[in-house]
Amino acid sequence: MTQSAYWNRIVKKAKEENRPFFSLAPMEAVTGSVFRRVVMKAAAPDNFYTEFTNALSITHPLAKETTKGRLYIDPAENPKPIVQLWGNSEIDFAKAAKEVEKQGYEAIDINMGCPDIAVIKNHSGSDLIRHFDTAKEVIEGARQSDLPVTVKTRIGYSDVHEYETWIPFLLKQQVPVLTVHMRTREEMSKVPAHYELIDDLVQMRDTYAPDTLLQINGDIADYQAGIDLANAHPGVDGIMIGRGIFMNPYAFEKTPQHHSEHELLNLLRYQLDLYDQFVAKGIPGHFAPLQRFFKIYVRGMKGASAIRNDLMQTKTTDDARAIIDRIDPGE
């Protein structure tokens, strides 16, 4: 078990069921409170992460208002999500860690894998793979609160073999959980994940940090694929699913079920309702990012392309509901 009570709670049930724990990956403009609750209703993983949040912005007098939507946790969310922070300053992380602790968060994850060019120009995200000293500093900064601090990263920046030094370095920081996306930054998602390296990562973990939980991310479509991967690589503790949720909102279902078009569209109705409630709280929200979710619910339906095109032309949740009601009048 880890030295973290939070993470021990997360993995306890999974261990009792003799399986890895499952997480929904942090995704920009995706894993806010609204979509986390949609996934929770469809088929919940063991834990969730927030969207990426800039550590500096959390306490900056001019920017902190912009983080309210990202950091909002609804009372219905259980367990509370892990807040994922990005940045490159030990001081920023120290301030942010204390602030998110005040806001009720129970765990912090540091983004050391984001491939976005704007984040890299900020010397953050996967750029930290090239700057071990800065990576160590931000971990130490985040540890200035009492919350457990974990790391999500990639196997390298430009060369697969970078994992041979980068992963041991991170393991030596003795974080409770190390999540590894099995590609380099430059590979983005253009090549298959390097599952052939997982056993090496397990061996490194066992050597340098036997108490650290190893979580694998990349190309994992659903719960069963995660179970298969963990069975093929003993020693893997956790499975993180990202883009798979866009193929199937029920990706975390332990036993796959058939879901009717009506069921899928009701899930979209639920997301629209949650979105309206979110905006009604006075939290800044934009309709455009909501549109990226429409494809999740209409995929595979007869005339899916036309339905999606109609939905993409909408400007409000009521416009979207009118289209849904036209193709699925409901009960």
Side-chain angles (χ1 to χ4, degrees), residues 5-291:
Y6 173 89
W7 278 102
N8 285 344
R9 278 204 317 274
I10 293 293
V11 301
K12 184 171 185 285
K13 185 181 177 191
K15 285 184 179 294
E16 287 170 356
E17 296 178 3
N18 196 30
R19 61 172 177 81
F21 64 90
F22 280 80
S23 308
L24 178 63
M27 290 178 277
E28 176 63 16
V30 175
T31 53
S33 175
V34 168
F35 191 61
R36 293 194 302 260
R37 283 179 280 157
V38 171
V39 176
M40 191 186 307
K41 182 181 178 70
D46 296 294
N47 67 327
F48 294 86
Y49 292 72
T50 66
E51 300 172 75
F52 318 145
T53 305
N54 187 336
L56 171 62
S57 297
I58 289 174
T59 58
H60 192 285
L62 299 178
K64 61 184 180 182
E65 286 298 309
T66 67
T67 67
K68 281 190 172 177
R70 291 174 180 273
L71 296 179
Y72 174 75
I73 306 175
D74 191 85
E77 294 188 65
N78 182 33
K80 291 177 182 175
I82 297 152
V83 61
Q84 203 199 47
L85 305 179
W86 67 272
N88 63 10
S89 160
E90 181 174 0
I91 294 170
D92 293 344
F93 271 88
K95 290 179 180 176
K98 289 171 183 172
E99 179 57 29
V100 296
E101 185 174 23
K102 279 186 205 165
Q103 292 184 21
Y105 278 94
E106 298 179 60
I108 294 169
D109 187 69
I110 302 178
N111 182 326
M112 296 191 185
C114 178
D116 183 79
I117 191 63
V119 172
I120 287 166
K121 284 182 176 176
N122 189 267
H123 301 299
S124 306
S126 57
D127 191 59
L128 293 173
I129 297 170
R130 302 190 290 189
H131 301 283
F132 286 27
D133 289 350
T134 309
K136 186 176 177 66
E137 286 167 9
V138 298
I139 292 171
E140 292 306 319
R143 284 174 169 164
Q144 297 309 302
S145 78
D146 291 328
L147 305 184
V149 176
T150 59
V151 170
K152 181 173 189 285
T153 190
R154 287 177 174 248
I155 54 174
Y157 187 88
S158 56
D159 188 316
V160 171
H161 293 287
E162 290 173 52
Y163 86 93
E164 294 168 3
T165 51
W166 172 238
I167 297 302
F169 163 76
L170 287 177
L171 288 167
K172 287 173 187 175
Q173 309 313 308
Q174 303 297 322
V175 292
V177 181
L178 178 62
T179 304
V180 185
H181 181 125
M182 301 301 294
R183 296 184 182 91
T184 67
R185 183 267 160 186
E186 291 193 355
E187 287 174 333
M188 303 288 281
S189 295
K190 297 171 186 170
V191 303
H194 293 282
Y195 291 163
E196 73 276 8
L197 302 180
I198 293 176
D199 292 340
D200 274 4
L201 300 192
V202 170
Q203 191 171 18
M204 288 173 175
R205 186 277 311 277
D206 292 348
T207 300
Y208 295 106
D211 291 335
T212 292
L213 300 169
L214 180 64
Q215 181 169 224
I216 300 298
N217 175 225
D219 286 349
I220 304 167
D222 54 25
Y223 179 87
Q224 191 54 57
I227 292 291
D228 291 345
L229 188 67
N231 286 342
H233 302 280
V236 167
D237 302 289
I239 297 292
M240 179 179 277
I241 295 175
R243 290 178 305 152
I245 204 73
F246 280 90
M247 304 297 290
N248 173 18
Y250 299 93
F252 291 101
E253 230 169 21
K254 291 180 181 175
T255 304
Q257 309 289 325
H258 170 73
H259 297 281
S260 67
E261 292 182 4
H262 176 62
E263 219 177 331
L264 282 159
L265 291 173
N266 268 349
L267 198 58
L268 174 52
R269 289 182 173 108
Y270 179 66
Q271 182 165 357
L272 295 172
D273 290 347
L274 291 181
Y275 175 83
D276 285 344
Q277 293 166 20
F278 183 77
V279 173
K281 293 178 187 293
I283 302 167
H286 299 286
F287 186 72
L290 187 63
Q291 293 176 313

